[in-house]
Amino acid sequence: NKQPVRVAVTGAAGQIGYSLLFRIASGDMLGKDQPVILQLLEITPALKALGGVVMELRDCAFPLLADIVTSDDPMVAFKDADYALLVGAMPRKAGMERGDLLGANGGIFKPQGEALNAVASRDVKVLVVGNPANTNALIAQQNAPDLDPRQFTAMVRLDHNRAVSQLAEKTGQPVSEIRNVTIWGNHSSTQYPDLSQATVGGQNALSLVDQEWYAGTYIPTVAKRGAAIIEARGLSSAASAASAAIDHMRDWALGTPEGQWVSMGIPSDGSYGIPEGLIYGFPVRTSGGKYEIVQGLDVSDFSRGKMDATAQELTEERDEVRKLGLV
Ligand code: NAX
């Protein structure tokens, strides 16, 4: 029998938390043989609601759920954490400039980076979901100097899964036939959902769809899917975001299938001409708990322009948080 691992989740009483925690506890993330201890962080006013979520978690009688810790102190919630899913963030409010949003989130992700640095497992795997996810991940990473920068990642997996599903729908094929879609760059409207390497049932995806649909419909549909969900549901995507977080962590911990890749927001090592250090969506393969960027892919002029535009946005976000003294 495996020893339990510690999984910290922030914003645990929020919408995404309400889907995410139950799936972690049921073994969807780390395997049906891996017991987990949930370490849940919330702000003080949300602790009562979090208590209700904990009651429901207990009522599921999940065999893999070894223990639950709740706190409003990151030093408690991150203690010895093997995995940390940073979901809680400050949402953009009407009239907020990007600098205000980044500043408000700096107030969350700087202390959380410091706390991870101080008390988490030295091998902790960190996934930032809370927006602006890539730059929040950068802030946490830069405030955790004793951890490897590569331990900090941001979620572009929801965009990746949306890209897979939209392509499946268009070509009338099951999602299981889709391979090697990539989300490059920022989890924002500048992201680049790239089909140049993708296949559908072994056939080149771009030979099955026309360029006009790809550039004019597909890319914006994937990039603006979050807004379409808000418009329809009156609330932002939560169950699909939680599912993507599960996928991201599962693939990182347990490996990608042979011959396939996924998209993760990771620190750029300069591959594909992306400025070093930006937390940028790349195609990655994983094994043994490590990820590596898929190398040697052809980059068309069309792709180059889109990859550079989203890198430019992330560079500007980094400049903003530098000015604010957060990194
Ligand atoms: P909710 O507002 O439902 O929940 C957020 C929770 O975080 C709240 O319970 C709040 O009390 C808590 N919180 C706030 N500050 C905290 C802190 N300092 N420490 C601990 N907890 C804190 O939002 P939800 O719908 O769950 O979304 C959470 C975040 O995910 C948002 O930033 C959202 O923008 C982001 N998303 C990111 C996605 C991605 O693909 N990367 C997609 C889905 C989602 O929009």
Side-chain angles (χ1 to χ4, degrees), residues 30-109:
L30 297 171
K32 297 289 182 187
D33 60 347
Q34 178 58 67
V36 294
I37 298 169
L38 286 176
Q39 305 193 156
L40 309 178
L41 183 70
E42 259 297 349
I43 53 173
T44 315
L47 285 176
K48 179 167 180 239
L50 182 60
V53 177
V54 168
M55 288 160 72
E56 285 204 71
L57 279 165
R58 295 203 191 285
D59 291 350
C60 293
F62 289 120
L64 292 172
L65 184 53
D67 199 3
I68 308 175
V69 175
T70 64
S71 182
D72 56 5
D73 179 355
M75 296 289 276
V76 174
F78 294 156
K79 179 81 180 128
D80 298 326
D82 301 292
Y83 299 87
L85 293 91
L86 310 188
V87 178
M90 184 75 78
R92 188 188 286 265
K93 298 197 185 96
M96 230 183 189
E97 300 292 331
R98 181 162 68 184
D100 302 333
L101 182 70
L102 290 168
N105 278 294
I108 297 174
F109 288 89

Side-chain angles (χ1 to χ4, degrees):
N1 279 4
K2 288 188 175 175
Q3 285 299 308
V5 296
R6 296 177 180 276
V7 181
V9 179
T10 75
Q15 286 205 89
I16 293 175
Y18 196 66
S19 287
L20 181 59
L21 301 178
F22 296 86
R23 297 205 42 203
I24 298 172
S26 73
D28 283 352
M29 187 169 93
L30 297 171
K32 297 289 182 187
D33 60 347
Q34 178 58 67
V36 294
I37 298 169
L38 286 176
Q39 305 193 156
L40 309 178
L41 183 70
E42 259 297 349
I43 53 173
T44 315
L47 285 176
K48 179 167 180 239
L50 182 60
V53 177
V54 168
M55 288 160 72
E56 285 204 71
L57 279 165
R58 295 203 191 285
D59 291 350
C60 293
F62 289 120
L64 292 172
L65 184 53
D67 199 3
I68 308 175
V69 175
T70 64
S71 182
D72 56 5
D73 179 355
M75 296 289 276
V76 174
F78 294 156
K79 179 81 180 128
D80 298 326
D82 301 292
Y83 299 87
L85 293 91
L86 310 188
V87 178
M90 184 75 78
R92 188 188 286 265
K93 298 197 185 96
M96 230 183 189
E97 300 292 331
R98 181 162 68 184
D100 302 333
L101 182 70
L102 290 168
N105 278 294
I108 297 174
F109 288 89
K110 185 176 196 289
Q112 291 188 359
E114 290 165 350
L116 286 164
N117 193 55
V119 299
S121 158
R122 296 303 85 186
D123 295 320
V124 65
K125 289 180 164 62
V126 183
L127 167 62
V128 176
V129 174
N131 281 321
N134 301 54
T135 297
N136 286 341
L138 182 73
I139 295 170
Q141 177 208 57
Q142 291 298 306
N143 288 281
D146 302 332
L147 298 173
D148 183 332
R150 287 169 52 84
Q151 291 171 251
F152 289 82
T153 67
M155 190 163 93
V156 295
R157 185 59 178 266
L158 179 54
D159 309 296
H160 177 99
N161 289 347
R162 288 165 171 167
V164 167
S165 141
Q166 291 291 325
L167 179 61
E169 202 176 313
K170 174 72 174 178
T171 55
Q173 296 293 315
V175 290
S176 56
E177 291 296 323
I178 312 278
R179 299 275 187 281
N180 300 347
V181 165
T182 303
I183 303 295
W184 300 93
N186 201 0
H187 168 67
S188 78
S189 57
T190 67
Q191 66 176 259
Y192 172 38
D194 176 12
L195 292 184
S196 63
Q197 311 296 324
T199 59
V200 183
Q203 280 185 279
N204 182 289
L206 288 182
S207 71
L208 301 172
V209 301
D210 62 75
Q211 176 70 22
E212 196 181 280
W213 176 81
Y214 174 46
T217 303
Y218 178 78
I219 292 175
T221 299
V222 172
K224 294 180 192 158
R225 184 71 159 181
I229 305 266
I230 294 175
E231 167 65 22
R233 208 171 83 89
L235 289 167
S236 59
S237 33
S240 55
S243 197
I246 295 278
D247 289 346
H248 177 115
M249 281 305 210
R250 184 200 57 227
D251 288 347
W252 188 2
L254 306 179
T256 40
E258 188 60 37
Q260 298 186 35
W261 71 65
V262 295
S263 308
M264 287 172 62
I266 58 167
S268 174
D269 61 359
S271 292
Y272 294 102
I274 302 307
E276 214 173 318
L278 293 181
I279 307 282
Y280 188 94
F282 280 101
V284 301
R285 291 197 186 93
T286 63
S287 103
K290 307 264 182 240
Y291 58 78
E292 60 176 49
I293 297 174
V294 178
Q295 297 293 346
L297 304 176
D298 285 335
V299 177
S300 66
D301 290 347
F302 180 81
S303 292
R304 186 77 259 162
K306 296 211 171 291
M307 288 159 67
D308 288 346
T310 189
Q312 179 58 32
E313 182 181 50
L314 283 168
T315 302
E316 288 167 16
E317 290 184 18
R318 181 170 67 181
D319 290 347
E320 291 263 7
V321 295
R322 271 197 187 137
K323 257 192 277 167
L324 295 165
L326 295 168
V327 303

